[in-house]
C-alpha cells in the first residue's frame, strides 16, 4: 500500500524500471544490486520518491544468494563477537564478495572460543560446514602463553589429550588438538602447575588465520576447505 506523500515501495519502482515481476525486483534488492541515490539499499519495502535516483547494477542477477561462511579474528575479552560481522570490519587484505545484511542472518558459530581467548572464529550459514565440526575431528592450533613452573613430566601429561602439545619457547605452548571444549586448556595447564595468561587460535583444520587483523573478518573462499 502506497503512502499519500508520493513515495512508493522500492520493489515496485524497480519492477517498473526493469521491467520485471515484484518478486524479481525484491530479489535484486535483497541481493545488494540496487542503489538509491548512490547508496545500496537491501530493503524491498524502503520508500522512495520519484525524485530519487534508482540504479540497478549491470551485474544484477536473480541467482539464489548462497549461504556464506565468515572467518573472524576475535579479539581477546569479547565473549559475543558476532557483532563484529558488519561491512565496516570486513578486511581489505583478502578479496571477497560484497557484504549483504542477509549474510548475518541465521549464523551458527562453530568451535566457540573462551571469552578471554583471541583468534580465528567461524560463523556459517552453510549446514555442510556446520556438520563438518559436529564430530570433533577437526584439529585446532592454539598458542598459549603461560606462567609458572611445570611439574615433572608435565609436558607428557599434557600430551595425554587427543593431539600434541609442545613448547615454542620458555613461556609459550602450542596445542594442536581435536575435540577441544571450553575451559579445557585452562584446566589442563592448571593440573601441571601452569597459569594461562593468553590464548590465540591460529588455525582450524586447513584454514589459518594468517594476516587477518584483530576485529576484522573475511568470507571463506569457494576453493577453501577445512
Amino acid at each position: 500500500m502506497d503512502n499519500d506523500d508520493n513515495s512508493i515501495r522500492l520493489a515496485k519502482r524497480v519492477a517498473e524500471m526493469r521491467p520485471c515481476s515484484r518478486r524479481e525486483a525484491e530479489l535484486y534488492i535483497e541481493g545488494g544490486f540496487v542503489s538509491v541515490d548512490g547508496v545500496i539499499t537491501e530493503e524491498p519495502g524502503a520508500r522512495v520518491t520519484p525524485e530519487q535516483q534508482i540504479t540497478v547494477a549491470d551485474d544484477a542477477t536473480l541467482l539464489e544468494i548462497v549461504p556464506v561462511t565468515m572467518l573472524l579474528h576475535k579479539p581477546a575479552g569479547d565473549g559475543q563477537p558476532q557483532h563484529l560481522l558488519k561491512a565496516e570490519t570486513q578486511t581489505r587484505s583478502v578479496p571477497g564478495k560484497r557484504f549483504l545484511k542477509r549474510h548475518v542472518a541465521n549464523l551458527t558459530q562453530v568451535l566457540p572460543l573462551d571469552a578471554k581467548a583471541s583468534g580465528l572464529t567461524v560463523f556459517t550459514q552453510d549446514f555442510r560446514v556446520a556438520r563438518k565440526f559436529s564430530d570433533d575431528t577437526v584439529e585446532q592450533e592454539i598458542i598459549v602463553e603461560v606462567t609458572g613452573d611445570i611439574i615433572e613430566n608435565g609436558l607428557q601429561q599434557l600430551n595425554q589429550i587427543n593431539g600434541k602439545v609442545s613448547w615454542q619457547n620458555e613461556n609459550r605452548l602450542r596445542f594442536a588438538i581435536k575435540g577441544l571444549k571450553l575451559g579445557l586448556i585452562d584446566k589442563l595447564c592448571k593440573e601441571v602447575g601452569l597459569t594461562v595468561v593468553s590464548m590465540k587460535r591460529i588455525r582450524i583444520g586447513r584454514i589459518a588465520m594468517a594476516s587477518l587483523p584483530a576485529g576484522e573478518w573475511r568470507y571463506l573462499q569457494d576453493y577453501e576447505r577445512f
Side-chain angles (χ1 to χ4, degrees):
M1 185 176 196
D2 298 332
N3 291 344
D4 295 332
D5 63 1
N6 204 31
S7 68
I8 63 173
R9 293 179 76 250
L10 178 58
K12 182 177 179 181
R13 178 84 174 271
V14 172
E16 293 170 348
M17 287 174 53
R18 292 298 289 178
C20 62
S21 70
R22 192 75 61 90
R23 179 54 189 150
E24 288 173 332
E26 291 174 350
L27 290 174
Y28 285 130
I29 296 165
E30 292 169 356
F33 296 113
V34 176
S35 298
V36 179
D37 291 336
V39 178
I40 293 175
T41 303
E42 298 175 43
E43 291 78 28
R47 311 295 302 187
V48 295
T49 64
E51 294 76 24
Q52 290 182 288
Q53 181 68 37
I54 311 301
T55 305
V56 180
D58 292 338
D59 61 346
T61 175
L62 293 174
L63 293 177
E64 179 184 3
I65 300 174
V66 299
V68 299
T69 297
M70 307 165 93
L71 309 176
L72 169 71
H73 182 166
K74 182 184 99 63
D78 194 336
Q80 301 291 331
Q82 187 170 338
H83 70 94
L84 293 170
L85 301 177
K86 52 189 177 180
E88 295 80 4
T89 52
Q90 183 176 6
T91 190
R92 297 184 179 182
S93 61
V94 178
K97 62 189 74 179
R98 291 183 303 175
F99 173 78
L100 300 177
K101 293 177 182 177
R102 288 182 63 178
H103 289 164
V104 295
N106 302 314
L107 284 170
T108 297
Q109 183 179 5
V110 298
L111 303 180
L113 284 169
D114 292 305
K116 70 178 182 180
S118 65
L120 185 61
T121 307
V122 179
F123 293 86
T124 188
Q125 297 175 326
D126 192 333
F127 76 93
R128 295 167 299 180
V129 173
R131 185 175 59 192
K132 183 172 181 64
F133 295 96
S134 62
D135 57 5
D136 290 334
T137 60
V138 177
E139 185 177 81
Q140 305 175 53
E141 184 175 351
I142 301 176
I143 305 302
V144 183
E145 186 178 348
V146 296
T147 60
D149 297 315
I150 193 168
I151 64 173
E152 186 175 357
N153 297 322
L155 187 61
Q156 291 90 325
Q157 181 174 325
L158 288 175
N159 273 288
Q160 300 305 307
I161 61 168
N162 184 14
K164 181 173 176 54
V165 183
S166 58
W167 286 105
Q168 282 204 320
N169 58 38
E170 61 183 10
N171 63 353
R172 187 172 294 169
L173 288 164
R174 171 188 176 271
F175 282 73
I177 184 172
K178 296 178 181 179
L180 179 64
K181 305 300 181 185
L182 293 176
L184 179 60
I185 288 180
D186 267 316
K187 176 177 180 293
L188 293 172
C189 288
K190 186 176 182 180
E191 289 174 351
V192 297
L194 300 174
T195 299
V196 172
V197 176
S198 66
M199 291 186 287
K200 177 182 283 189
R201 182 163 60 195
I202 61 173
R203 178 177 59 83
I204 299 176
R206 289 174 284 187
I207 303 299
M209 187 167 63
S211 58
L212 187 63
E216 295 188 8
W217 64 272
R218 70 176 181 87
Y219 289 107
L220 183 73
Q221 303 292 306
D222 292 340
Y223 61 84
E224 292 181 305
R225 298 290 184 274
F226 287 99

